[in-house]
Amino acid sequence: MMGFGLMTNIIVTSMVILGGAIALHSLTGMNVYIAAFLIPLTFTIYTMIGGLKASFIADYLNTVMIFVILAIFATVVYVKFGVTSIYEGLQAIPEQSQMLTMASIPGLFFGMINIIGNFGTVFVDQSYWQRAIASKDSAASKAYIYGGIAWFAIPFAIATFLGVSAAGLGLNIGDPDASAPLMAQYLLGSVGSILFLVMLFMAVMSTGAAELTAITNIIVTDIYRKSINPHASGEKTLKVSRIVTLSFGLAMGLFSILLFKVGIGLSFVYMAMGIFVSGAVIPLTLGLMWKKATSTGNFYGAL
């Protein structure tokens, strides 16, 4: 389970960095390799200083900022172009070029992979467990339900106002991963680019900090304090935590550069994610919910 947990954190962090680097490159022309190294460096420093408590507060502020910027983009699209012109543009697209919508086969596959794959990234991701454990029992379940509903609006709005609108208006976009930042630039020029960069920075900081804290927790609590130094003082544990956070943050930057070098993009990592981590979902669920589940059964079940 620890192996699955570490693998999940590595995959999710690499997705965050790849997506962020592509958007930065699209908007500013910054070299993707430099962007892939600078992004983890920023949230690594912030996580080292703040820890889990600070990431709770930062998450809240980040999400509020994302919603405000999304509301601006949605209003501009609606006022500037309206629904009709975008709808007519979508109707004019040749039938053979399938869009990522509910009616297309690639869209259907993406939806299935998304649902199955993301079971893995939630159940096996330490960042969800640590937040649940750090919260009061009465607050945790409500928080996850409300949080899930609130977060759903973000990818849905970005895909609609910055993705579907770009296709309807006939924007010439080479890389599908770059459609949202390029549409933001098309809508409001340099102001749109800055707003998108701020929104991107908020999302990357939020997820990156959570993933870094999660991997530090696994290495320090489950490996260092269990097997290496069970009698470590609080001060010593904090010092090791900071070293692990810094090392992992820098390593993730190098790993993302390597992915770019070998030509592995965001969509491949996203699609492959479920294959790597979903095997642990059912054994983990049975371990929590079924009293007859054994460690041996869970081990071979996940394998």
Side-chain angles (χ1 to χ4, degrees):
M1 287 301 164
M2 196 163 65
F4 275 108
L6 291 169
M7 194 156 51
T8 305
N9 293 134
I10 289 165
I11 292 169
V12 173
T13 311
S14 63
M15 284 198 300
V16 166
I17 297 167
L18 290 172
I22 291 163
L24 263 178
H25 173 69
S26 305
L27 289 170
T28 65
M30 182 189 279
N31 184 298
V32 282
Y33 301 132
I34 295 169
F37 196 74
L38 284 178
I39 288 168
L41 193 65
T42 49
F43 62 67
T44 300
I45 294 163
Y46 145 95
T47 311
M48 276 176 70
I49 298 164
L52 184 64
K53 200 169 187 178
S55 80
F56 269 50
I57 299 159
D59 276 357
Y60 183 83
L61 295 173
N62 290 345
T63 310
V64 169
M65 282 292 289
I66 290 168
F67 273 113
V68 169
I69 294 167
L70 272 179
I72 293 167
F73 283 138
T75 308
V76 172
V77 170
Y78 194 75
V79 170
K80 225 175 179 181
F81 305 107
V83 177
T84 314
S85 60
I86 293 168
Y87 180 66
E88 285 169 356
L90 289 171
Q91 278 192 315
I93 293 170
E95 274 188 35
Q96 68 269 21
S97 60
Q98 286 186 316
M99 297 275 295
L100 257 186
T101 61
M102 300 295 177
S104 75
I105 300 300
L108 180 68
F109 278 137
F110 180 81
M112 286 157 62
I113 291 164
N114 202 17
I115 291 164
I116 297 163
N118 282 352
F119 263 108
T121 54
V122 173
F123 277 66
V124 197
D125 192 338
Q126 168 66 16
S127 67
Y128 288 89
W129 294 107
Q130 71 195 14
R131 278 165 160 66
I133 293 160
S135 308
K136 288 178 184 171
D137 289 352
S138 57
S141 57
K142 284 180 192 169
Y144 276 91
I145 292 164
Y146 296 156
I149 294 165
W151 188 257
F152 167 76
I154 295 171
F156 188 80
I158 291 174
T160 307
F161 293 112
L162 299 179
V164 175
S165 301
L169 295 169
L171 261 68
N172 187 23
I173 294 159
D175 181 7
D177 291 341
S179 58
L182 291 174
M183 181 62 184
Q185 200 170 32
Y186 180 75
L187 282 175
L188 292 166
S190 57
V191 175
S193 299
I194 292 163
L195 284 175
F196 192 87
L197 278 174
V198 170
M199 187 167 71
L200 176 82
F201 187 70
M202 296 292 163
V204 166
M205 289 288 274
S206 191
T207 311
E211 295 302 318
L212 269 183
T213 314
I215 208 145
T216 304
N217 253 340
I218 294 172
I219 292 168
V220 173
T221 309
D222 297 323
I223 299 172
Y224 179 72
R225 291 198 73 168
K226 277 267 166 71
S227 309
I228 299 167
N229 189 358
H231 307 294
S233 64
E235 200 177 314
K236 178 74 176 166
T237 305
L238 187 63
K239 189 182 175 184
V240 172
S241 297
R242 285 186 172 148
I243 292 165
V244 170
T245 304
L246 181 63
S247 307
F248 179 70
L250 296 175
M252 280 313 304
L254 294 170
F255 179 64
S256 301
I257 290 168
L258 184 69
L259 289 177
F260 274 125
K261 276 277 186 195
V262 296
I264 293 176
L266 179 63
S267 51
F268 178 86
V269 177
Y270 199 92
M271 293 292 190
M273 173 181 71
I275 297 167
F276 292 116
V277 300
S278 292
V281 173
I282 292 172
L284 184 69
T285 309
L286 293 176
L288 288 168
M289 310 296 286
W290 189 40
K291 63 183 177 187
K292 289 184 181 178
T294 62
S295 55
T296 313
N298 275 15
F299 175 83
Y300 286 108
L303 202 64

